[in-house]
Amino acid sequence: MKKSLSLCLLLSLCLRFAVAANIEAGVHWEKDLATAVQVSKQQRQLVLVDFYAEWCGPCKKMEKETYADPRVRARLKQYVPVKIDIEQDQSNARKYEGNAARYNGKGIPATMIMDGNGTVLARAHGYLSAEKLIALLDSVQTKPGM
């Protein structure tokens, strides 16, 4: 009985950490860009790409403040959000201009909105407050054909 209880507790903790790895600040973040684009195409939603690095102070501030804002979380339900760590996924970072060298030192965080075909519809560099991110999200929602 104790072994069963211990096993259940261990499995419960493992599941909790696995879920927490993809859900930060109340947002379900994909970790793979190709998967996010595929999901967006199937669900007819746009992709929000957040390029970041663990050592990036403004990235952490966006995570703590911007993505925790209830208005942002509500808007992101209409998107397939994906986080790309530029240190871990350098090929996607280079391809979609997510590394600092590609945009002349503007650095990260970098935010992009893409359609289900991988076409970049909007981009912003640097820290975005909740208000600025909402404005960026709203700007692509009002484009013809969206």
Side-chain angles (χ1 to χ4, degrees), residues 22 40 59 100 114 141:
N22 270 357
S40 80
C59 301
M114 303 168 60
Q141 291 294 333

Side-chain angles (χ1 to χ4, degrees), residues 113-126:
I113 300 173
M114 303 168 60
D115 66 15
N117 296 315
T119 303
V120 178
L121 304 174
R123 70 182 74 215
H125 301 115

Side-chain angles (χ1 to χ4, degrees), residues 40-145:
S40 80
K41 197 173 223 177
Q42 292 169 347
Q43 295 180 356
R44 307 195 80 173
Q45 293 179 314
L46 297 176
V47 179
L48 173 85
V49 185
D50 176 33
F51 291 102
Y52 76 102
E54 291 296 324
W55 47 261
C56 170
C59 301
K60 290 179 180 182
K61 185 176 179 182
M62 277 187 72
E63 187 63 43
K64 183 179 179 184
E65 296 175 6
T66 306
Y67 293 123
D69 187 293
R71 299 168 297 161
V72 171
R73 288 196 315 260
R75 289 270 194 339
L76 289 183
K77 290 180 181 177
Q78 302 165 19
Y79 288 80
V80 179
V82 59
K83 280 187 162 289
I84 304 294
D85 183 337
I86 65 165
E87 299 289 320
Q88 300 298 317
D89 193 349
Q90 294 178 5
S91 64
N92 275 326
R94 279 191 297 278
K95 183 177 179 183
Y96 292 102
E97 299 179 353
N99 62 344
R102 291 287 294 202
Y103 39 79
N104 302 320
K106 289 184 181 175
I108 53 175
T111 307
M112 289 194 323
I113 300 173
M114 303 168 60
D115 66 15
N117 296 315
T119 303
V120 178
L121 304 174
R123 70 182 74 215
H125 301 115
Y127 171 82
L128 296 176
S129 64
E131 290 76 18
K132 287 184 179 180
L133 181 58
I134 289 168
L136 182 69
L137 297 172
D138 289 349
S139 75
V140 295
Q141 291 294 333
T142 59
K143 287 184 178 179

